[in-house]
Every structure is written in C-alpha cells, then in structure tokens.
Amino acid sequence: MNGLTCGQALATAQGLGLERLDAQLLLLHALGKPDTDRAWLLAHDTDSLAAATWQHFHALSQRRASGEPLAYLTEGKEFFGLPLHVDARVLVPRPDTETLVEWALDRLARSGMPPAPQVLDLGTGSGAIALALKKTAPGLDMTAVDASEQALAVARSNAARHGLAVSFIEGSWFDKVGGHFHLIVSNPPYVAQADPHLAALRHEPLQALSAGPDGLDDIRQIITQSPSHLHPQGWLLLEHGYDQAAEVCNLLRQHGFTEVQSRADLAGVLRCSGGCWQGLGGAGIKTAG
C-alpha cells in the first residue's frame, strides 16, 4: 500500500475501528509532528506518505485497535497542563485525577500552612500528581513514593524534563518514609480484583489498578498508617472508585480523621475523599460529612 495519502491512511485506520481523533494523533506521531498539528493534516490530506511512515502508522493503528492506550503509543500524555512521558511501566494519567490535584492545591492555599509545606504523594506512578503540585506551587517540599523501580524511572525522567525538584523513594506506601507531612495525597489502586472493567485495562500495570476483593485494601492501609506521618492539622486526600466515597469516608472517621468530605469530578462523580488529622489530642472532634 505504498503511496497512500494522509487522507487514505486515516480512512484505513478508521476502517480498523479507530476514532478519527485517535487516528489523527497517531499519524501526527508517525510523522514526527506535535499533536497540535491536526490542521496540518487537513491541509495536506492528499500528500503521499513515505513507505516507512505508513508502515509505522499502520502498526500503531493495529495496536490501538487491540485496545492499547493511545498514550502508550505516542509515549505522552498531558496532565494538569504538563506534558508527561508515559509507557507501559505506569498508568495513564486520567483527567479525573486532576480533581485530587485541585483539592490539594486548595488545601495548601489555606491559612496556617508554612512557607514550604511538606507534601507526600503515595504511589506516584508517572509522577503526575507530584509534578503538577510542584509546578503549580514551587515552594512545596515534595516527596513521591512508588513500589515500582520502573515507575520511578518514568517519574524521575518527567521531573528532570520539567526541572522540578521532587524527592523520590522506592518503597511500599510508608515502609521507607520518615518524618511528617502537612498533606498526603494518593491515587492508589482501588479496582476490585474481580471487576469486569479490568479486562479493558489489560495493557496497564495490574498492580497499580487492583487492590483486593473490594478494591479498598491499599486505601485501608494508607488510612491506618497516615496519622503516624501527618503533622497535627495535616490532611489526607485520596482518589477512589465511583462507588467508594461512603466507605472511604467511614474508614477515615473510624481512624480519627475529622472534617471528612468528598469532592466530585467534572462528571459529578464523588471521586476523592479526605479528612484532617487533628493529632492524638484531637481524636473524637466532630466530623463534617
């Protein structure tokens, strides 16, 4: 199929079942052009593709048709305005997680925070949350943790790319974390191990997605251990599944957190929950739902 034009190549990809936007972004990637150049494709609809470019694009299209995430194929994903490198070593950052970042920034902007708040991101993956926070609030003393050495390699690369100073720790949750923090954030695994939706996520690392029979195993561990790592009046903010807000809020209250509440994502789904740790003398203070 040598000599195919840009327009014919896009039509071929759509024939495989790709959405037009995905096909356009993959073709731009194969051509070595930024994903903002979609107008270029329209203007060059009848240009012929080099054989190597067509073969590369067709291979990418087949992989996308099999369900591989677009971000893995283009090796990039924008999150909170930051272009990040992503690949099969990490989860693809989701727009829903920007809700967690916005809530964290809101907490950090409240009165009473020191000039350089200590913030911990648990299960950082690509570094998306930690880097978005550090980029937006450069004064943060930012630490990010992940159990996967491979994921941390991606996160460190993203931090270096944007010149953002973040301390990275390889370890499971709090195992290698010392000190106390004014804010702890986490987008941990929260999908139940038998959830049928996991089949559609088969290309992404399972250990970053699934957490026990009800999906809450890791969230329970984080809630249980966080008080030992929070300054008095420090906050814990967690992303969770669309139907887990009530249970996560109950867990937070059971472990002494106050001002417990949830935040909705852009779709109106309660996507994040969190609470304030008053300190050992503050257990039992009234909670806010």
Side-chain angles (χ1 to χ4, degrees), residues 158-189:
N158 282 322
R161 173 183 180 182
H162 293 289
L164 296 171
V166 174
S167 298
F168 292 100
I169 298 173
E170 182 184 344
S172 177
W173 305 129
F174 293 101
D175 284 357
K176 297 183 181 179
V177 175
H180 291 75
F181 300 86
H182 299 95
L183 177 68
I184 297 174
V185 295
S186 183
N187 175 19

Side-chain angles (χ1 to χ4, degrees), residues 137-283:
L140 298 181
D141 180 358
M142 190 77 227
T143 301
V145 176
D146 205 286
S148 167
E149 180 183 3
Q150 292 185 325
L152 284 178
V154 176
R156 287 191 176 100
S157 174
N158 282 322
R161 173 183 180 182
H162 293 289
L164 296 171
V166 174
S167 298
F168 292 100
I169 298 173
E170 182 184 344
S172 177
W173 305 129
F174 293 101
D175 284 357
K176 297 183 181 179
V177 175
H180 291 75
F181 300 86
H182 299 95
L183 177 68
I184 297 174
V185 295
S186 183
N187 175 19
Y190 53 73
V191 182
Q193 61 190 18
D195 192 311
H197 294 98
L198 285 174
L201 303 171
R202 64 188 181 280
H203 294 280
E204 299 186 67
L206 180 62
Q207 69 274 16
L209 288 165
S210 182
D214 62 357
L216 294 173
D217 282 4
D218 289 321
I219 286 177
R220 288 190 186 93
Q221 184 174 344
I222 292 169
I223 290 174
T224 300
Q225 296 180 0
S226 285
S228 298
H229 297 274
L230 281 167
H231 288 296
Q233 308 301 317
W235 277 73
L236 170 64
L237 304 180
L238 298 161
E239 180 173 333
H240 50 66
Y242 71 96
D243 58 351
Q244 295 173 332
E247 182 60 28
V248 172
C249 286
N250 286 336
L251 288 168
L252 287 163
R253 293 189 183 97
Q254 289 167 14
H255 287 83
F257 286 87
T258 67
E259 300 181 55
V260 174
Q261 56 199 269
S262 298
R263 283 279 181 101
D265 59 23
L266 290 175
V269 175
L270 292 178
R271 179 60 58 187
C272 306
S273 296
C276 179
W277 176 248
Q278 300 287 346
L280 291 177

Side-chain angles (χ1 to χ4, degrees), residues 32-176:
K33 294 184 175 295
D35 58 14
T36 52
D37 264 2
R38 290 170 62 202
W40 185 94
L41 291 177
L42 296 175
H44 294 263
D45 191 60
T46 58
D47 286 13
S48 294
L49 295 175
T53 301
W54 155 249
Q55 290 165 5
H56 182 37
F57 170 67
H58 189 56
L60 291 174
S61 298
Q62 290 177 315
R63 290 168 63 186
R64 181 70 187 115
S66 73
E68 196 165 343
L70 178 70
Y72 288 173
L73 301 175
T74 61
E75 298 186 343
K77 179 72 174 181
E78 185 174 295
F79 179 83
F80 217 77
L82 277 178
L84 300 174
H85 172 87
V86 296
D87 57 36
R89 293 174 290 178
V90 296
L91 286 183
V92 177
R94 267 70 168 180
D96 292 344
T97 303
E98 294 188 358
T99 303
L100 183 65
V101 174
E102 290 167 351
W103 192 4
L105 290 169
D106 179 54
R107 294 304 327 168
L108 291 166
R110 302 291 178 94
S111 62
M113 280 289 177
Q118 296 162 300
V119 180
L120 178 66
D121 174 25
L122 291 171
T124 195
S126 65
I129 295 171
L131 298 178
L133 291 173
K134 183 68 176 178
K135 178 70 174 180
T136 310
L140 298 181
D141 180 358
M142 190 77 227
T143 301
V145 176
D146 205 286
S148 167
E149 180 183 3
Q150 292 185 325
L152 284 178
V154 176
R156 287 191 176 100
S157 174
N158 282 322
R161 173 183 180 182
H162 293 289
L164 296 171
V166 174
S167 298
F168 292 100
I169 298 173
E170 182 184 344
S172 177
W173 305 129
F174 293 101
D175 284 357
K176 297 183 181 179

